[in-house]
Amino acid sequence: MHLKLPLSLKGMTTLDRDQFKQTISVPYVNIPVECIQSSKWKNYLLCLPSLKNVRDLQPILKTHKQVLFDPDIIENKEDIIKKIPSITKYVEESFDFTPLAITYENYSIEQVIKAILPDDLGKDRPINTGSGYSLIGHIAHFNLKDAVLPYKHIIAQVVLDKLTHVKTVVNKLHEIDSVYRNFELEIIAGEPNTIVKCRESKAIFQFDFAKVYWNPRLSTERERIVNVLHHNDLVFDVFAGVGPFVVPASMLGCTVYANDINPESVKWMTINLKTNRTKKSSNEYHVFNLDGREFLRTIVFPRIESYQKNIANDNEKRWCLSDNKIIILMNLPDIALTFLDVLPEWLSENIEEKQQWILPIHIHCYTFSKADNPDEDIRLRLKTILPNINDNQISCRFVRQVAPKKDMMCVNIILFDKKKKETRNECDEEKEEKNPTKRFKQDSSE
């Protein structure tokens, strides 16, 4: 239901909950308890926070309940008979309107904030007027623009009132630091506690939100990557943060090598890897605090070479791990693509030996694009970094829009995928066998 709020609320900077009180007229029908089907009528019921739309009759009559309907949808008796014909009998008997007292508790966060903020905010260009926030454990995280800052404390108080599990409200002050990937924030309401605990991918993560990077809006993407991992995959995370990729990977039984340049991230990632150990996660995990390029050169490349040789020389391992893969994750969208400049030199060394490798290597590298055609834009940028990579080794996938005309993309680069090549050749052979006439004509013309 659309609730009209008093204009006197506009510009309020100190929360006065009493000013939200009003009385509205609501249609109702008294219906026998056994005939009430709230789930089927949900599109027509009065739905407001902290309000029961099916309530006891006064004086208490246990056989019937009073069902409240949305006055924006049900304006008269004919409306409800048309929309819910099965209760026509009860509509004829008891349909009427009742006065209903609405209080601050019956408004959503968005409704309260919209009622308070001046209408001209965001008129020139869209801004976060306070209804957009992220939840990280007990923290509600805002990124408020300057025009909204005079109302930040009242916005924070509304969130604390409405979300009982939120204990701390913070606002981002500056852009993300490109080295440690954290940002300065201020606590605008609630407890001065930024150490959080949250659940994702069946794992529990702990970290200090003020000192590390964590974006809950990437949970779907992280789940997508985790879902393609298998037991005994080899996973390298160049910019691992507190472990949202590698912790669930370890729980699945992958061997994990995780790195982050931020020592605070490494500290919490180690804690998260330890606390989420399962019977499946008996494989090794290794944590590093290095620059991304150094991690690739000194840890990733040597470990891949050693692992591939080990499998090639061990027939039992070669058979057991034939369906596995090596994953390299690079989630630092601002600059991750530039770190791929260490690949060409490594790929050119001992190329004949590398061609015999058993396991394919999948590189998932995240980046931003402001181009109308992000796929084309990314491929052009990649050609300057990896000139010898073929187009068919690259695929680009949209992840999410981070700002108007700015998309986050995932680039998947596949190296040494012999199985894919063999499958393609087998398919070609099958096509030829299924169409012998076509093949015969080709042969006869030569």
Side-chain angles (χ1 to χ4, degrees), residues 301-317:
F301 298 158
R303 294 296 192 283
I304 289 177
E305 291 179 10
S306 174
Y307 198 69
Q308 296 274 23
K309 287 177 184 176
N310 194 12
I311 294 171
N313 295 330
D314 189 326
N315 287 332
E316 187 175 343
K317 273 189 177 180

Side-chain angles (χ1 to χ4, degrees), residues 315-326:
N315 287 332
E316 187 175 343
K317 273 189 177 180
R318 185 170 183 165
W319 180 80
C320 290
L321 299 176
S322 60
D323 290 329
N324 287 94
K325 57 191 171 298
I326 296 170

Side-chain angles (χ1 to χ4, degrees), residues 100-118:
L100 184 69
I102 300 295
T103 66
Y104 171 77
E105 285 71 27
N106 301 131
Y107 298 91
S108 67
I109 293 173
E110 291 75 14
Q111 287 173 321
V112 173
I113 293 174
K114 186 177 180 181
I116 290 170
L117 296 184

Side-chain angles (χ1 to χ4, degrees), residues 321-338:
L321 299 176
S322 60
D323 290 329
N324 287 94
K325 57 191 171 298
I326 296 170
I327 303 283
I328 301 175
L329 299 166
M330 303 176 70
N331 184 19
L332 184 58
D334 266 339
I335 54 175
L337 277 186
T338 64

Side-chain angles (χ1 to χ4, degrees), residues 429-443:
E429 288 173 7
E430 285 179 11
K431 285 179 183 177
E432 288 184 354
E433 288 174 4
K434 286 178 182 178
N435 196 350
T437 307
K438 192 171 184 179
R439 187 173 59 179
F440 174 79
K441 285 183 178 179
Q442 184 180 355
D443 292 342

Side-chain angles (χ1 to χ4, degrees), residues 200-219:
E200 184 179 292
S201 297
K202 299 180 181 178
I204 295 174
F205 294 91
Q206 302 175 69
F207 48 88
D208 188 341
F209 185 62
K211 297 179 180 178
V212 304
Y213 176 81
W214 180 274
N215 189 343
R217 291 188 172 95
L218 291 176
S219 61

